[in-house]
Amino acid sequence: LSHSTLKNLLQNCKSVREQIDTFLTYVQLSEQDVSNRLLMCKDIENALRTTFPESSVHPVGSSVSGLGLRGCDLDLSFHYSASNSNSPAQNIVVTNVDVSSGKVPASDFPYLPLKQQLIFIQKVLKESGITEVTTVVPGRFPILNFSCNDLGCDLSINNRSALQGTRLMQACSKLDYRVAPLFQLVTYWGKHFYLIGGPLKFKSYAIFLMIVYFLQKRYPPILPALQSVLQKIDLNEDKYLFSEGKDTSEVFSPSSNSENLEMLLREFFFFYANFDFTSVICTLDKNVWDGKSFIIKEPTFELNTINVQDPFNLSWNVTTGVDWKHSKSLIKSLLSACEAYHESSDQPITNQNWGLLAILDRSSANYSFARKETVEIKIPLDKTDEISENLIQICDNVFCFLQDCLLFECHPVDSKTIKFQIDKTALINKTIAYNKKYGKLQTFDKFDKTSTAGDVTNILFSHSMYVTVLETWRGRSNYFYQDDIESKQIFVSTEQQISNQILEKCVENSEEKFIFICDCSVISIGKNIFLNIIMRTVNKPVFIPKLRIFLKEYFLKYSRFL
């Protein structure tokens, strides 16, 4: 795959929907690609059968699950029968050199350690002419990495979990048509940002399970709990590795969720940007567990920076092999994608910064937003008499979000209601006195607002409060509720319940709480009326990046209640 070619294709599109269709056409494996991979698998199997007559080689992973990207490696699992082998001498000890030089007979193969078994296979493949250059890569399932006909191959031994995972991936892609393209979009993004593939990075299977959990938590759900999938579909059937797999509509009704790929891709980034990764993702029952509580339930489960339970081996964390660096890079890249979405919606569209181009732009993913002091949210309002008569109520609703929903501590600024009329170059300057107990900054000078529009900006009403942040905003994606709530009263009540649940689990933090000033205005620019919310840090040098992303998305998502 050539990213520059893909970028050129995306720049010529007229909509995000067209970008997604163009992307999928370019990156997906063709039927011929899959057929060639299966033939290559057969050639490798025939080469190994000269030494292991009863062996078999199975293709696994995205190459045969229907979720692969063009150019992805071919994953293979070698299976053999030891029924006719003679037992070797007790406590046999051989060196790697003994194995690679041919001093160890094939009858001893089943009793060698996995690494030496791969060295043995390495010798067989070289002698057969299948490949010249091979490398044994250590891990939970060590693999033999080699190239065959210019295609990278990764071969493991008796990797039944890979077979199960592959069948599960194909079954889920048949449950809903959006699974495969969403996986391909996210995995391409992950590979492009060096998060997926290779030692210490994420495996595609881990990303797949994260996508499954995300789709399970949509409203209505797009995928069911995997427990019901495993109960109703026999994933031991080999047909699940090929295109003639069973039609899952025989046992599962289609989801009533109508969200399109464009929306789901965006929501995936925001969902995990505010996810509490100290929890364990469990796709089996579509739930999350607190890490410490989960260890009591599964004592052999190894916690990591990000935790995803394998639905087949419940004590296995599929992200165990991912190091701290790449885990943190994933979290930062999620934030960067969210910022790209926000900034692309705030700026004029060019052929460089919209749609898929924005989230795939590595040059802008330097997290410069982490140094910003403010959050600015502009929400269009209907220009009606009702709005003009309820300016105070509209601004009060903003503080209802902060105080009643998120349980932040809000205190009115000691200033009178402000009415201004300014042009595009004028500044609003005001000094606000604070109670000394609320932080190091006693005054807040030069709260500057510059009109970004060519039209005159009229500030119809402005109201300010300073806000002390509680931890109720962190990990809010872990809590599920219906997105179709229309009653403000039910919305506020639901949000309060979530906030209280989060507070119950919070550990007392001795650090100084983050404080920001929130200036809420109803403004008119030309013929349009907007609710303009500006939040600026008071006692810290920058606005917390994750909080910045969360607040902007929170207000935009639930703006119907303002």
Side-chain angles (χ1 to χ4, degrees):
L1 289 174
S2 166
H3 183 70
S4 59
T5 300
L6 176 62
K7 184 176 179 179
N8 289 334
L9 292 171
L10 297 179
Q11 286 174 342
N12 293 323
C13 295
K14 304 301 182 184
S15 66
V16 177
R17 175 68 264 179
E18 186 181 349
Q19 280 188 336
I20 291 176
D21 291 340
T22 300
F23 170 87
L24 295 173
T25 300
Y26 181 67
V27 305
Q28 285 178 334
L29 288 169
S30 66
E31 291 184 6
Q32 188 61 49
D33 290 330
V34 175
S35 176
N36 290 340
R37 286 162 185 259
L38 295 177
L39 289 174
M40 189 180 302
C41 175
K42 196 65 179 176
D43 290 342
I44 294 170
E45 181 182 75
N46 290 336
L48 292 174
R49 278 185 172 178
T50 59
T51 305
F52 306 102
E54 298 182 22
S55 66
S56 60
V57 176
H58 297 273
V60 294
S62 55
S63 287
V64 287
S65 66
L67 279 67
L69 300 178
R70 189 154 53 89
C72 65
D73 289 348
L74 173 61
D75 297 320
L76 304 166
S77 181
F78 172 71
H79 297 258
Y80 63 91
S81 172
S83 57
N84 297 325
S85 300
N86 297 320
S87 297
Q90 293 295 320
N91 300 322
I92 184 172
V93 177
V94 296
T95 66
N96 293 347
V97 174
D98 291 335
V99 178
S100 61
S101 62
K103 294 181 180 179
V104 178
S107 57
D108 288 353
F109 178 85
Y111 311 102
L112 295 173
L114 273 177
K115 182 177 179 180
Q116 290 187 338
Q117 286 183 337
L118 289 172
I119 293 174
F120 195 104
I121 291 175
Q122 184 180 46
K123 177 182 71 72
V124 174
L125 291 177
K126 285 184 177 180
E127 290 175 350
S128 67
I130 287 289
T131 184
E132 289 294 328
V133 181
T134 58
T135 305
V136 176
V137 181
R140 178 175 179 244
F141 282 99
I143 61 172
L144 181 65
N145 177 264
F146 60 95
S147 178
C148 182
N149 295 336
D150 296 324
L151 180 66
C153 301
D154 291 329
L155 183 143
S156 55
I157 297 176
N158 286 336
N159 193 350
R160 300 196 178 277
S161 64
L163 282 171
Q164 291 175 315
T166 302
R167 291 162 179 163
L168 176 64
M169 292 169 79
Q170 188 177 45
C172 286
S173 69
K174 290 179 178 295
L175 283 172
D176 192 276
Y177 69 94
R178 292 164 287 191
V179 173
L182 181 61
F183 175 81
Q184 289 159 341
L185 285 160
V186 174
T187 50
Y188 184 89
W189 168 83
K191 289 174 182 287
H192 185 63
F193 282 90
Y194 312 113
L195 302 169
I196 300 174
L200 308 180
K201 297 181 182 180
F202 289 87
K203 304 296 183 186
S204 296
Y205 182 57
I207 301 299
F208 166 75
L209 291 177
M210 290 177 65
I211 291 173
V212 168
Y213 179 73
F214 162 72
L215 295 177
Q216 290 172 337
K217 305 308 284 188
R218 303 309 296 159
Y219 184 82
I222 293 177
L223 289 180
L226 293 188
Q227 195 166 33
S228 63
V229 176
L230 299 182
Q231 289 171 348
K232 296 180 180 181
I233 300 177
D234 184 7
L235 295 184
N236 291 319
E237 296 180 13
D238 282 340
K239 67 173 63 176
Y240 267 103
L241 291 179
F242 305 99
S243 59
E244 65 269 20
K246 187 184 297 181
D247 183 2
T248 55
S249 63
E250 297 174 9
V251 287
F252 287 99
S253 300
S255 169
S256 58
N257 186 299
S258 60
E259 292 173 299
N260 59 32
L261 274 173
E262 179 183 344
M263 183 181 298
L264 287 174
L265 180 64
R266 185 187 190 281
E267 289 298 312
F268 172 85
F269 291 117
F270 284 96
F271 180 84
Y272 280 114
N274 195 249
F275 194 83
D276 179 8
F277 283 109
T278 63
S279 304
V280 180
I281 296 172
C282 304
T283 54
L284 199 64
D285 59 0
K286 63 175 186 180
N287 204 352
V288 290
W289 286 73
D290 172 72
K292 293 181 180 178
S293 302
F294 191 79
I295 288 298
I296 298 174
K297 178 186 175 185
E298 296 287 347
T300 58
F301 189 91
E302 185 179 340
L303 290 176
N304 199 2
T305 309
I306 295 175
N307 306 286
V308 184
Q309 183 192 44
D310 183 12
F312 298 102
N313 181 357
L314 304 186
S315 62
W316 173 244
N317 183 358
V318 299
T319 62
T320 295
V322 183
D323 66 359
W324 182 87
K325 172 187 173 183
H326 290 100
S327 296
K328 288 299 182 182
S329 291
L330 173 64
I331 296 171
K332 287 182 178 179
S333 297
L334 289 167
L335 288 175
S336 180
C338 294
E339 183 72 4
Y341 273 111
H342 281 163
E343 291 195 347
S344 63
S345 64
D346 293 340
Q347 298 174 357
I349 290 178
T350 71
N351 65 348
Q352 297 289 337
N353 71 343
W354 67 284
L356 298 187
L357 291 166
I359 63 172
L360 292 174
D361 185 5
R362 281 201 299 252
S363 64
S364 65
N366 57 3
Y367 319 122
S368 59
F369 61 89
R371 297 186 292 275
K372 293 182 180 179
E373 299 178 2
T374 63
V375 180
E376 183 169 2
I377 309 165
K378 192 181 271 87
I379 300 171
L381 301 174
D382 293 328
K383 191 172 183 180
T384 64
D385 292 337
E386 182 181 352
I387 286 213
S388 62
E389 293 172 0
N390 292 280
L391 299 182
I392 296 176
Q393 183 60 52
I394 292 171
C395 290
D396 283 347
N397 287 339
V398 172
F399 300 111
C400 172
F401 270 39
L402 296 171
Q403 184 167 269
D404 298 338
C405 297
L406 298 174
L407 304 185
F408 289 179
E409 298 171 3
C410 298
H411 302 273
V413 169
D414 185 16
S415 62
K416 296 181 179 180
T417 299
I418 308 166
K419 294 183 179 179
F420 292 106
Q421 182 167 348
I422 59 174
D423 63 25
K424 61 182 179 181
T425 60
L427 300 177
I428 298 174
N429 300 316
K430 56 187 175 180
T431 302
I432 300 167
Y434 287 91
N435 187 314
K436 292 183 179 180
K437 72 176 182 178
Y438 281 105
K440 302 170 184 176
L441 189 59
Q442 304 292 314
T443 59
F444 187 70
D445 297 317
K446 295 183 180 178
F447 187 23
D448 299 335
K449 171 69 178 74
T450 305
S451 172
T452 57
D455 297 303
V456 171
T457 298
N458 294 296
I459 298 185
L460 307 176
F461 179 85
S462 181
H463 183 47
S464 300
M465 297 190 81
Y466 58 86
V467 181
T468 303
V469 175
L470 300 186
E471 294 297 293
T472 53
W473 65 276
R474 293 187 185 274
R476 216 165 178 87
S477 295
N478 295 48
Y479 296 83
F480 173 72
Y481 52 87
Q482 299 180 6
D483 273 345
D484 63 346
I485 295 174
E486 291 300 332
S487 164
K488 180 183 175 183
Q489 184 178 0
I490 296 175
F491 168 73
V492 173
S493 175
T494 303
E495 290 296 294
Q496 283 179 345
Q497 291 176 15
I498 293 172
S499 295
N500 283 314
Q501 290 176 35
I502 295 174
L503 284 179
E504 287 175 4
K505 297 181 179 181
C506 281
V507 179
E508 193 68 29
N509 194 336
S510 59
E511 293 184 10
E512 181 183 28
K513 291 182 179 178
F514 182 75
I515 303 173
F516 64 87
I517 185 143
C518 179
D519 187 82
C520 178
S521 306
V522 176
I523 64 175
S524 68
I525 303 177
K527 297 181 179 180
N528 301 310
I529 295 181
F530 298 90
L531 173 62
N532 198 48
I533 306 168
I534 301 178
M535 306 176 191
R536 183 164 180 172
T537 177
V538 171
N539 64 334
K540 301 289 183 182
V542 296
F543 212 99
I544 300 171
K546 287 190 73 171
L547 177 59
R548 170 185 162 83
I549 294 294
F550 168 78
L551 286 173
K552 191 163 188 177
E553 187 65 11
Y554 193 74
F555 277 97
L556 291 172
K557 187 173 184 179
Y558 300 114
S559 60
R560 64 184 183 273
F561 298 119
L562 293 172

